Amino acid sequence: MRNFIIDTDTASDDAAALVMALRQPDIAVKAITVVAGNVPLSQALQNALYTVELCAADAPVYAGCAKPLLRELETAQDVHGRDGMGDIGLPLQGREPADGHAADMLRELINANSGDITLVTLGPLTNVALALLREPEMARSVSHCYIMGGIGSGHGNVTPTAEFNIWVDPEAAKIVFESGMAMTMVGWDISWKYATFDAKQAEEIRRIGSPLAEFVIDIQATLTEFSMTENALAGFDLPDPITMAAAIDPSVAEYKDYWVDVTTGEGLARGITVVDVLGVSRKAPQMRVATSADRSAFVDMLKRSVS
Ligand code: RIB
Ligand code: CA
C-alpha cells in the first residue's frame, strides 16, 4: 500500500481525481486536506465529503485555509459552477469534516509517515505553504509531491501567462517551489493536450453505467460549457485527474528536470511558472516537469476507477 495525502480545492475535476485515488486498491488515502480555490472553502469541504461518501471510503477530510496567504480569494465558479460540481443539484451540504486544521494535519501525518507519503496537490498551495512555513523540515519527509499547477510550456488559463492554482496564491507556490521537497509539476498544458474529452469521449466513460461513471462525467457540465466557449477546447479537460494518474503511475507521463520559479507580481506578472529550459539561471533544477503524457493510459486508469 502507498500512503497518499491529497490537498484539493474540490470542484468537478478535483472530484474525479479523488475518485481515482480512493478507488485505487494499492493506495491508502491518509487524508484529504481542503483549501479555498475553485469555490469557497466551505463548499470545497462539502464537495470533498460528498465524494468520499460516494466512494464508500473512510479518508478523513480536514478544513484548511479559506483564502490565500496574502491575497483575497478569487474563485472559479464561472468555470466549475456555483457549487463547483456542475450545479446539477447534488446534495452538497450538511456533512462534517474531521477535527484539526489541514496545515496541522499535513505536518502531523507527514511526520508520522516520514519518507512514506506521496502528497498530491490539486488546488492553490496555501495549506502546503503554511505547513512548510511552520515546519520547513517537513519538506524532507515527503517522498514525492505531485503538483497540478503552472504551465510547463505554453499559455495560461486564468491570464495569458498563468494557470489558476498558482495564480490564486503565487506566494504560497513560491514557498513550496523553494522548499526542497521532491516535486513533479503537471502543468495545465498537459491537461489541454492529453486530458480533453469531447462529447463522444465523455459518453464512452459515462456508458460504463456505474454511479461513479455517471458522477465523474455529469459534474463536468459547467466545465464543458466554459471549456468549449472560453478555452476553445473540444470539450472539458481534466487537469487534476491526469495529475493524479501521474502520481498513481508516473510512467503515464514523460518529464524533464528544470529549475522553475514563480512570479508574485500583479497583472500578467502574477503567478507565472518560469521554467528555465536552457538552464541560463545556472540554478540546480528542483522540479520534474511533465512534458508529455499517454492519453490512452490515463483514460484507461480513469475508466478502471469508475468501473
Ligand atoms: O488550472 C486548473 C486547476 O485549477 C485545476 O486544479 C482546477 O480544479 C482548478 O483548481
Ligand atoms: Ca483543483
Side-chain angles (χ1 to χ4, degrees):
M1 293 294 271
R2 290 178 294 165
N3 294 324
F4 273 39
I5 295 178
I6 304 166
D7 192 77
T8 167
D9 60 336
T10 321
S12 56
D13 67 311
D14 303 68
L18 290 177
V19 168
M20 289 174 72
L22 291 167
R23 302 277 300 166
Q24 184 72 21
D26 65 342
I27 286 176
V29 178
K30 306 296 277 186
I32 293 171
T33 52
V34 182
V35 66
N38 280 319
V39 288
L41 177 69
S42 55
Q43 186 66 64
L45 259 185
Q46 292 304 322
N47 297 348
L49 287 161
Y50 178 85
T51 304
V52 169
E53 190 178 298
L54 196 68
C55 292
D58 56 6
V61 176
Y62 299 101
C65 298
K67 64 178 287 299
L69 292 180
L70 304 179
R71 297 173 189 250
E72 287 315 304
L73 174 63
E74 305 276 353
T75 65
Q77 286 163 292
D78 53 334
V79 179
H80 295 276
R82 185 158 177 65
D83 67 9
M85 303 281 265
D87 292 336
I88 57 174
L90 292 175
L92 302 166
Q93 58 275 331
R95 291 173 179 81
E96 282 300 314
D99 289 340
H101 188 286
D104 295 333
M105 297 317 297
L106 276 164
R107 288 187 297 122
E108 204 173 294
L109 286 162
I110 287 167
N111 291 336
N113 298 277
S114 181
D116 183 19
I117 280 276
T118 297
L119 174 59
V120 185
T121 70
L122 306 175
L125 290 164
T126 319
N127 288 340
V128 179
L130 186 57
L132 285 163
L133 283 173
R134 294 172 80 161
E135 192 174 321
E137 56 278 14
M138 183 187 96
R140 283 195 301 277
S141 302
V142 175
S143 344
H144 205 92
C145 180
Y146 288 85
I147 298 168
M148 191 286 125
I151 300 148
S153 76
H155 58 280
N157 58 10
V158 64
T159 71
T161 51
E163 174 280 326
F164 180 78
N165 286 337
I166 305 297
W167 179 85
V168 165
D169 196 343
E171 286 77 17
K174 193 165 177 65
I175 288 164
V176 173
F177 279 37
E178 294 177 349
S179 68
M181 250 192 315
M183 293 175 284
T184 291
M185 183 180 103
V186 181
W188 187 62
D189 48 318
I190 299 300
S191 178
W192 69 261
K193 285 180 193 161
Y194 304 101
T196 296
F197 294 80
D198 62 20
K200 188 165 156 294
Q201 291 163 323
E203 183 49 31
E204 207 180 288
I205 294 176
R206 196 180 192 285
R207 208 178 28 244
I208 293 171
S210 64
L212 284 178
E214 292 173 6
F215 171 71
V216 297
I217 298 300
D218 292 349
I219 58 176
Q220 312 304 338
T222 312
L223 181 61
T224 304
E225 183 62 33
F226 183 89
S227 303
M228 292 176 81
T229 52
E230 303 295 327
N231 286 355
L233 296 179
F236 60 81
D237 69 307
L238 293 178
D240 293 342
I242 198 162
T243 301
M244 186 59 75
I248 293 169
D249 176 2
S251 69
V252 145
E254 293 184 330
Y255 313 88
K256 283 206 177 78
D257 292 337
Y258 295 116
W259 176 68
V260 183
D261 203 341
V262 180
T263 63
T264 54
E266 300 304 331
L268 292 179
R270 171 175 175 173
I272 307 171
T273 46
V274 183
V275 180
D276 185 0
V277 175
L278 299 181
V280 293
S281 67
R282 298 278 181 272
K283 292 193 177 183
Q286 96 285 21
M287 186 70 78
R288 190 172 68 156
V289 177
T291 51
S292 71
D294 177 342
R295 185 184 193 283
S296 56
F298 159 57
V299 173
D300 287 348
M301 287 173 76
L302 179 59
K303 284 180 175 175
R304 270 201 306 277
S305 73
V306 297
S307 297

